[in-house]
Amino acid sequence: MHAIRDKDRLLARVKRIAGQVAAIERALSEEADCSLTLQQVAAARGAISGLMEEIMAQHLREHVAGPDLADADRAARAEEVIALLHRYGR
Amino acid sequence: MHAIRDKDRLLARVKRIAGQVAAIERALSEEADCSLTLQQVAAARGAISGLMEEIMAQHLREHVAGPDLADADRAARAEEVIALLHRYGR
Amino acid sequence: MHAIRDKDRLLARVKRIAGQVAAIERALSEEADCSLTLQQVAAARGAISGLMEEIMAQHLREHVAGPDLADADRAARAEEVIALLHRYGR
Amino acid sequence: MHAIRDKDRLLARVKRIAGQVAAIERALSEEADCSLTLQQVAAARGAISGLMEEIMAQHLREHVAGPDLADADRAARAEEVIALLHRYGR
C-alpha cells in the first residue's frame, strides 16, 4: 500500500464516472436515442482517460522519478508503466 | 425511442463496467498499488471502448445504412456519427 | 474508383504528414532529445488521426448515407466502417 | 543530444511509415476505394503509435528511471512524459 495524493479528489472523480455509467445503463434500458447514448458513452470514456492520466502522472512522479528510490524499484516501475502504455495506447 | 437489439446483453455489459468502476473506487480508497489500480482503469477504459463500438455498430447498421430510411434522416444520423468520431477518435 | 471530394486539400494534408515523418527520421538520425522527437511523433499521430476522420466522414456521407444507393451497398459499406472502427478505436 | 538505442531499427521503422504515407498519397491521387485508403491510414496510425511507444519506453528506461540521474533531471523528464501522455492519450 502507499499513500495516494489528492485521494479525496480522485475518489470524487471515480464516483462521477460511476454516475455516468449508471446513466448509460438507464439510457439503454429506457431505449433512448442511440446518438444520445453514444455521447454519454464517449463522455464516460473521456472521463476514464482523464482518471488514467492523473493516476499515471502521480505514479510517474512518485514511484518512478521520485527521489530516494532504489534503482531496481525505479526500473521495475518503469517497466510497469511501459506495459500499461502498450495496452492503453492501442 | 427506438428498440435496441441485444438489449439484455448490452445491459449486462454496462453492469460489468459499473462493477469495474466500483472496484477502482475500492482500490483507491484502500490505497492499493498504483500499477494494479492503473491496470483496472485501463481495463475499464477498454470495456467502455468495446461498448461504444457495439452501440456505434448497431446505430450505423440500423439508423444510417438501414433500408427504408428517408435520405434526410440518414444524412442527419451520419453527421451525428461523424461528430462522435471526432470526439471519440482524439 | 470514385471521385474524392476536396482531393487537393486531402493530398496537401498527406504531404504535410510525409514532411512530419521525414522530420522524425532526421531527429532520430541526428539523435535529437527524446522528448522533442516524441512531441514530433505525437503531432504526426494527431495529423494522421485527423486525416482518418476526414476520409471517414466523406465515406460515411457519400457511400453509406448518400441518396440513391442500393440497400446492399449501404450495408456492405457500413460493415467496412464498423470493421475499421474496431481496428482504429482500440 | 543523446545516444539512441537500436537507432538503426528505429530508423527502419520510420522509413516504413514514410512508405505507408507515400502509399496513402498514391491511393488518394488515384482515387482508390475509400475503404482501402482508410485501411491504409489506420495501419499507418497503428505504426506511428508503435513507434511512439518504443521511443517512450526508451525514454522512460534511460532518462527517467535510469541510474545515476540527478533528481531534478528525473522530475523534469517525468513532467515531459506526463505532458506527452496528456496529449497522446486524448
Side-chain angles (χ1 to χ4, degrees):
Chain A
M1 267 211 343
H2 50 257
I4 291 180
R5 198 198 302 241
D6 299 327
K7 182 172 162 182
D8 292 341
R9 198 165 51 75
L10 280 177
L11 282 171
R13 204 165 180 170
V14 177
K15 286 185 202 295
R16 278 197 302 274
I17 294 170
Q20 288 177 285
V21 174
I24 294 167
E25 189 174 340
R26 278 196 305 279
L28 285 173
S29 64
E30 292 162 9
E31 302 188 2
D33 181 85
C34 272
S35 295
L36 297 178
T37 307
L38 282 167
Q39 285 170 29
Q40 289 177 289
V41 178
R45 185 180 182 260
I48 284 205
S49 296
L51 178 69
M52 180 89 184
E53 279 171 41
E54 185 165 354
I55 300 174
M56 180 75 90
Q58 258 194 47
H59 189 50
L60 280 169
R61 288 188 185 111
E62 293 172 26
H63 307 134
V64 180
D68 314 321
L69 295 173
D71 287 345
D73 283 348
R74 284 190 206 284
R77 295 291 184 175
E79 292 309 320
E80 286 168 0
V81 170
I82 290 164
L84 269 163
L85 290 179
H86 179 69
R87 169 176 184 169
Y88 175 61
R90 290 281 140 168
Chain B
M1 269 213 344
H2 49 256
I4 292 182
R5 197 196 297 253
D6 298 327
K7 182 173 162 180
D8 292 341
R9 198 165 50 74
L10 281 176
L11 281 171
R13 204 167 181 169
V14 178
K15 286 184 200 303
R16 279 198 301 275
I17 294 170
Q20 289 177 286
V21 174
I24 294 166
E25 189 173 342
R26 277 194 306 277
L28 285 173
S29 65
E30 293 162 8
E31 303 188 0
D33 181 87
C34 271
S35 295
L36 296 178
T37 309
L38 282 166
Q39 284 170 30
Q40 289 175 290
V41 178
R45 184 178 181 261
I48 282 207
S49 295
L51 178 69
M52 180 90 184
E53 279 170 40
E54 185 165 352
I55 301 174
M56 181 75 89
Q58 257 194 50
H59 189 49
L60 279 169
R61 286 186 186 114
E62 292 171 26
H63 307 134
V64 180
D68 313 321
L69 294 174
D71 288 345
D73 284 349
R74 284 190 206 285
R77 295 292 184 172
E79 292 308 320
E80 286 168 359
V81 169
I82 290 163
L84 268 164
L85 289 179
H86 179 69
R87 171 176 184 168
Y88 175 60
R90 290 285 138 165
Chain C
M1 270 212 344
H2 49 254
I4 290 180
R5 198 197 298 254
D6 298 328
K7 183 172 161 181
D8 291 342
R9 198 165 51 72
L10 280 177
L11 282 171
R13 203 165 182 170
V14 178
K15 287 184 201 299
R16 278 198 301 275
I17 294 170
Q20 288 177 286
V21 173
I24 293 166
E25 189 174 341
R26 277 195 306 278
L28 285 172
S29 65
E30 293 161 9
E31 302 187 2
D33 180 270
C34 272
S35 295
L36 296 178
T37 308
L38 282 167
Q39 284 171 31
Q40 289 177 289
V41 178
R45 185 179 180 262
I48 284 207
S49 295
L51 177 69
M52 179 91 184
E53 278 170 42
E54 184 164 355
I55 301 175
M56 180 76 90
Q58 256 193 49
H59 188 50
L60 279 168
R61 286 187 186 112
E62 293 172 27
H63 307 135
V64 180
D68 312 322
L69 295 173
D71 287 344
D73 284 349
R74 283 189 207 287
R77 295 292 184 176
E79 292 309 320
E80 286 168 0
V81 170
I82 290 163
L84 268 163
L85 289 179
H86 179 69
R87 171 178 182 166
Y88 174 62
R90 289 284 138 170
Chain D
M1 268 207 347
H2 49 257
I4 290 180
R5 198 199 300 247
D6 299 327
K7 183 173 162 181
D8 292 342
R9 198 165 50 76
L10 280 177
L11 282 171
R13 202 166 183 170
V14 178
K15 287 185 202 295
R16 278 198 301 275
I17 294 170
Q20 288 177 286
V21 174
I24 294 166
E25 189 174 341
R26 277 195 306 277
L28 284 172
S29 64
E30 293 161 8
E31 302 188 1
D33 181 271
C34 273
S35 294
L36 296 178
T37 308
L38 282 167
Q39 284 171 27
Q40 289 175 290
V41 178
R45 185 179 181 263
I48 283 207
S49 295
L51 178 68
M52 180 92 185
E53 277 171 42
E54 184 166 353
I55 300 174
M56 180 75 89
Q58 258 193 47
H59 189 50
L60 278 169
R61 286 187 186 114
E62 291 171 28
H63 308 134
V64 180
D68 314 322
L69 295 173
D71 287 345
D73 284 348
R74 284 190 207 285
R77 296 290 185 175
E79 292 309 318
E80 286 169 0
V81 169
I82 290 163
L84 268 163
L85 290 179
H86 179 68
R87 171 176 183 169
Y88 174 61
R90 292 281 138 171

